[in-house]
Amino acid sequence: MTDHTHFDFAKLSERERYKILIGTVIPRPIALVTTVSKDGTPNAGPFSFFNVLTHDPAIVAIGVENYSDMRFKDTARNIRETGEFTVHICDNALVDQMEICAIKFGPEVDEMEEAGLATVPGQMVCSPRILAAPAALECRRHTTLQVGPAREIILGEVVGVFVRSDAVNTSNLHIDQQLMDAVGRMGGHTYTRTRDQFDIKTLTPQEWERRKAGEKLAAE
């Protein structure tokens, strides 16, 4: 039997809780989020506290940490001002440019320009779309949850999605996950690729009973 170490989060500091969470909740998908300020300045930043929550309605969530004095960082402020943002799935080819977008530039800097990322205007939202990303989810703000003095969870309703054409079968909507080549975030500075994949089909109750019966017969 494997031994486990228990941590009481009430007895840990904020930093200690963070280290435990990013080391255990792995891999985490990465959202490269683009927004536009009310004066038209584009912004991009990656977030690994991100996932899809439901498909009906189609809701994604990103966890945003703002400044300790309650000032909003660019992504949170822009979403509050415009109500719109675009989530880009980050693939292996995009990692280096994504990391440039993670640099804490001032609000006047266009991270996509610094990273050499080509963009086009959004189709259903005001935020730009990064052409190199294998998928882009155009979102409108659904709800903002204030979960701490400088932390909030932004729920966005997906109103449209772009997927690279060679990775999607438009007849059955199957997406080739190898061609998507997405990366995920681990603990610390570590990332992982999603190329190593395997399939498991969930059994029906009837299939499970037949399996148990077969294993019982084999054991006799």
Side-chain angles (χ1 to χ4, degrees):
M1 182 176 178
T2 303
D3 289 333
H4 290 82
T5 301
H6 177 258
F7 297 92
D8 182 348
F9 266 33
K11 298 178 180 178
L12 299 181
S13 68
E14 176 270 333
R15 180 63 183 174
E16 289 169 336
R17 293 193 297 270
Y18 173 78
K19 290 181 68 175
I20 293 292
L21 288 173
I22 67 168
T24 55
V25 184
I26 54 175
R28 301 184 305 281
I30 300 168
L32 181 52
V33 178
T34 59
T35 57
V36 176
S37 68
K38 63 181 179 181
D39 64 5
T41 302
N43 175 266
F47 297 86
S48 69
F49 283 17
F50 156 71
N51 220 314
V52 59
L53 302 185
T54 176
H55 70 284
D56 188 22
I59 300 292
V60 297
I62 55 173
V64 180
E65 181 178 0
N66 294 308
Y67 296 107
S68 57
D69 61 3
M70 296 293 289
R71 285 182 300 121
F72 294 119
K73 291 184 179 177
D74 297 340
T75 296
R77 185 192 65 249
N78 292 349
I79 292 174
R80 282 179 176 263
E81 291 177 349
T82 68
E84 298 179 344
F85 60 100
T86 299
V87 170
H88 300 82
I89 302 303
C90 187
D91 65 3
N92 188 58
L94 202 55
V95 167
D96 289 341
Q97 291 165 301
M98 178 270 293
E99 271 296 317
I100 294 174
C101 293
I103 297 173
K104 292 178 172 58
F105 295 114
E108 74 284 353
V109 174
D110 179 349
E111 288 85 357
M112 289 165 284
E113 182 177 337
E114 294 293 322
L117 289 167
T119 64
V120 294
Q123 181 165 311
M124 301 181 72
V125 297
C126 62
S127 45
R129 178 166 63 92
I130 297 171
L131 292 173
L137 291 70
E138 294 187 324
C139 305
R140 295 197 181 104
R141 185 176 69 87
H142 180 278
T143 307
T144 299
L145 305 175
Q146 196 76 31
V147 294
R151 291 169 179 81
E152 58 187 28
I153 298 171
I154 299 171
L155 304 183
E157 181 171 1
V158 181
V159 295
V161 179
F162 287 90
V163 182
R164 53 180 287 187
S165 296
D166 62 344
V168 60
N169 184 328
T170 56
S171 64
N172 61 9
L173 301 186
H174 173 75
I175 295 177
D176 188 325
Q177 295 173 26
Q178 292 286 351
L179 285 177
M180 288 285 289
D181 199 20
V183 296
R185 189 68 186 269
M186 306 292 280
H189 302 291
T190 305
Y191 291 83
T192 184
R193 300 181 179 90
T194 57
R195 296 172 185 167
D196 182 12
Q197 302 174 7
F198 59 94
D199 293 335
I200 297 178
K201 178 180 178 294
T202 301
L203 302 178
T204 65
Q206 295 77 16
E207 289 170 333
W208 173 246
E209 292 301 327
R210 286 196 295 269
R211 174 188 284 187
K212 286 201 303 181
E215 290 174 349
K216 182 179 179 180
L217 285 173
E220 292 176 351

